[in-house]
Amino acid sequence: MARPPRSDPGFAEMGAPAVVPPKAEEPHYHGHRDRLRARFAQGDTLPDYEFLELVLFRAIPRRDVKPIAKALIARFGSFAEVISAPPERLMEVDGIGPAVVTDLKIMEAAGRRLARGAVVERTLLSSWAAVIDYCRAAMAFAPREEFRLLFLDKRNRLIADEVQGRGTVDHTPVYPREVVRRALELSATALILVHNHPSGDPTPSQADIKMTRDIVAVAGPLGIVVHDHIIVGREGHASFRGLKLI
């Protein structure tokens, strides 16, 4: 009569080959992640979707994030537009949940804080490129119009940075006397007006020009100078001073 096969642990030691479970195959994207991190560490210039992948690695550790990154870029247009997009719109993309949205919004806030750090405690008129960078980081990709005021002291250093109003996709109500009243409260002697055009085109409208001249007319007799009005959008920026509109 045939003896049943031994199943005790010592059986392999008596000459029978031990059964080794097959090694789990490593997901293909693990090597991709390592290579992408190495390229970033070496200073390679990465396209927007690959830079976005680096951000997604932390929030989505067990999934190939390249298709998600490409879907986000296709939906919103660029890395900057992805991290600036409203949370509810981000979550319309397959694979995006609250953890990913939180990480993207941390990136957005970090970018704004870095840009702001370049203008705080500096004479803004001698750091104009930094002012433009800050305004673009803060507002260029917002889905609605925002009207922002940079209040300056007599040395043209930043006292305060405030959003005075938010409107629709193409209009924000602005009241010149309220603008000047706030400047007097802060003892500001100069202003830089800033707003965004969600359409992307920063070209001033006739309403923008009239509103700016109304503020200049109210502020001037009180000793408050309007240095510039900057409009920012995805396609660049426009300076009223540069365009000789004020």
Side-chain angles (χ1 to χ4, degrees):
M1 183 173 180
R3 297 175 64 186
R6 295 284 301 276
S7 59
D8 62 273
F11 184 59
E13 298 175 2
M14 297 173 63
V19 177
V20 179
K23 185 178 180 181
E25 185 176 346
E26 187 178 69
H28 72 280
Y29 55 81
H30 281 189
H32 170 68
R33 291 185 175 205
D34 291 340
R35 290 189 295 273
L36 194 54
R37 289 188 179 107
R39 287 172 54 204
F40 175 75
Q42 291 165 5
D44 284 6
T45 301
L46 303 176
D48 277 7
Y49 80 89
E50 288 189 332
F51 194 67
L52 190 54
E53 283 186 74
L54 290 170
V55 179
L56 297 176
F57 287 167
R58 176 181 174 276
I60 310 176
R62 297 181 181 86
R63 183 172 173 182
D64 182 4
V65 298
K66 182 184 287 187
I68 301 173
K70 287 189 172 183
L72 286 166
I73 297 296
R75 171 72 66 91
F76 299 105
S78 68
F79 179 85
E81 288 168 291
V82 169
I83 66 172
S84 301
E88 61 274 14
R89 289 201 61 206
L90 288 167
M91 292 183 67
E92 292 172 0
V93 177
D94 184 43
I96 300 300
V100 175
V101 170
T102 297
D103 278 5
L104 293 175
K105 290 302 162 185
I106 289 172
M107 289 291 295
E108 181 187 21
R112 290 184 179 184
R113 186 160 297 192
L114 284 170
R116 180 179 171 83
V119 299
V120 173
E121 299 298 326
R122 297 192 181 187
T123 302
L124 296 198
L125 299 188
S126 63
S127 308
W128 202 244
V131 173
I132 299 299
D133 287 346
Y134 170 63
C135 293
R136 282 185 54 77
M139 305 173 67
F141 304 106
R144 296 185 299 162
E145 274 203 10
E146 297 180 358
F147 183 73
R148 181 180 297 267
L149 291 170
L150 305 183
F151 299 94
L152 312 181
D153 64 15
K154 62 183 178 180
R155 297 173 61 186
N156 289 316
R157 293 185 306 182
L158 187 66
I159 296 174
D161 163 19
E162 297 180 354
V163 175
Q164 293 293 105
R166 291 181 171 90
T168 64
V169 295
D170 60 3
H171 176 69
T172 303
V174 177
Y175 305 101
R177 293 189 183 280
E178 289 298 308
V179 170
V180 174
R181 180 187 63 79
R182 183 58 176 154
L184 292 172
E185 288 176 352
L186 294 170
S187 299
T189 57
L191 295 169
I192 298 174
L193 318 178
V194 190
H195 85 278
N196 63 313
H197 279 180
S199 68
D201 180 2
T203 303
S205 67
Q206 287 302 312
D208 294 335
I209 295 170
K210 181 181 184 306
M211 175 265 290
T212 303
R213 290 174 175 169
D214 288 347
I215 293 175
V216 171
V218 175
L222 297 173
I224 300 170
V225 177
V226 177
H227 284 311
D228 205 346
H229 184 170
I230 302 167
I231 302 177
V232 295
R234 289 189 302 274
E235 298 172 13
H237 74 278
S239 160
F240 277 51
R241 182 72 63 185
L243 295 170
K244 302 187 186 307
L245 294 174
I246 56 174

